[in-house]
Amino acid sequence: MRDAVETITLILTIFRVFCWFVLLIVTTLYIGIITRRKVVHPNLHVLLLSMPLSYLIYIIPSACNLIIDSFQIQLPSLLPLILHALADFGLFGSSFNLFSFTFERLIATWRVDDYENISSRVSY
């Protein structure tokens, strides 16, 4: 019975690691698409890039933590602490990016004329 539980745990861990890497690839592809296309307003373009970048700051350390914890890899004591701090930082940044995105869209909807002309004064 114990061998079956360990086998199922190993399979689920490998599946979770696979999901993290799929998410990493999808996020990287999204960043590539957004950087090539300049069809949106410059403010929205910056927000659309900052959101997946903060997700990457969360995804990469979290995947490393999952691998380290699951396979019981021994590392210097400071490295797992740094990885956890980076994952927390990315999650924190993602939540604030969501607020910025929502607020920017609200202003863009509410003040359409001013919003469309404001970027003409700023060179990107």
Side-chain angles (χ1 to χ4, degrees):
M1 180 74 169
R2 185 176 179 150
D3 292 334
V5 171
E6 289 177 1
T7 304
I8 291 172
T9 303
L10 180 64
I11 291 170
L12 290 176
T13 301
I14 291 171
F15 179 71
R16 285 180 62 195
V17 169
F18 175 75
C19 288
W20 278 113
F21 285 113
V22 168
L23 188 59
L24 179 68
I25 291 168
V26 168
T27 305
T28 306
L29 288 173
Y30 175 79
I31 290 172
I33 290 169
I34 292 295
T35 54
R36 282 189 222 116
R37 307 276 181 191
K38 305 273 185 187
V39 295
V40 295
H41 197 275
N43 293 343
L44 180 60
H45 188 78
V46 169
L47 287 173
L48 288 176
L49 279 176
S50 67
M51 289 176 74
L53 289 175
S54 62
Y55 290 145
L56 281 178
I57 293 172
Y58 171 70
I59 290 169
I60 294 170
S62 296
C64 291
N65 281 332
L66 178 65
I67 293 169
I68 289 168
D69 293 342
S70 298
F71 297 108
Q72 299 171 351
I73 300 171
Q74 297 297 321
L75 295 172
S77 61
L78 191 58
L79 187 60
L81 180 67
I82 292 171
L83 290 174
H84 282 289
L86 278 174
D88 291 344
F89 179 72
L91 196 59
F92 186 74
S94 297
S95 63
F96 277 104
N97 280 337
L98 185 60
F99 172 75
S100 301
F101 180 75
T102 305
F103 187 72
E104 190 268 345
R105 291 287 85 200
L106 177 69
I107 296 299
T109 304
W110 181 41
R111 306 282 305 235
V112 175
D113 295 332
D114 295 336
Y115 181 81
E116 288 300 322
N117 296 326
I118 198 164
S119 67
S120 64
R121 293 180 265 162
V122 179
S123 61
Y124 284 97

